[in-house]
């Protein structure tokens, strides 16, 4: 009985840790680009908000976007 409660607690903890990791990955996304263009933006740029979600490309750093061949947007100057 006691053993199974421990197992359940471990499982809940594992789920929580996974959730936290997923959330921090989402928060770490600072830049977005479109698969249809060569510009990258800050996530809150009005041009970025017009990109279809199916075309969104996420970058975790400016370098990552530049290395992928993207150029900074002229509106938000990332
Ligand atoms: Zn922009």
């Amino acid at each position: 009985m006691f053993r199974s409660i421990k197992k359940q607690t471990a499982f809940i903890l594992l789920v929580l840790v996974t959730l936290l990791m997923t959330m921090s990955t989402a928060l770490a996304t600072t830049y977005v680009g479109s698969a249809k263009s060569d510009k990258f933006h800050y996530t809150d740029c009005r041009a970025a908000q017009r990109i279809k979600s199916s075309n969104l490309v996420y970058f975790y750093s400016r370098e990552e976007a530049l290395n992928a061949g993207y150029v900074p947007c002229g509106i938000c100057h990332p």
Side-chain angles (χ1 to χ4, degrees):
M1 177 88 181
F2 187 66
R3 265 180 97 97
S4 76
I5 289 172
K6 257 186 154 176
K7 239 182 184 172
Q8 205 171 31
T9 310
F11 177 73
I12 291 167
L13 273 173
L14 193 78
V15 169
L16 275 175
V17 168
T18 312
L19 260 173
L20 273 173
M21 279 167 70
T22 312
M23 276 167 69
S24 61
T25 307
L27 286 172
T29 309
T30 323
Y31 305 101
V32 289
S34 167
K36 303 276 180 199
S37 88
D38 58 355
K39 301 275 200 309
F40 70 96
H41 313 263
Y42 283 121
T43 48
D44 58 354
C45 174
R46 62 187 158 92
Q49 274 150 24
R50 281 203 298 263
I51 301 170
K52 271 192 188 173
S53 58
S54 56
N55 290 332
L56 276 176
V57 182
Y58 296 97
F59 302 108
Y60 300 108
S61 70
R62 203 172 175 275
E63 285 68 34
E64 193 189 338
L66 291 171
N67 286 339
Y70 282 80
V71 292
C73 160
I75 300 167
C76 59
H77 303 283

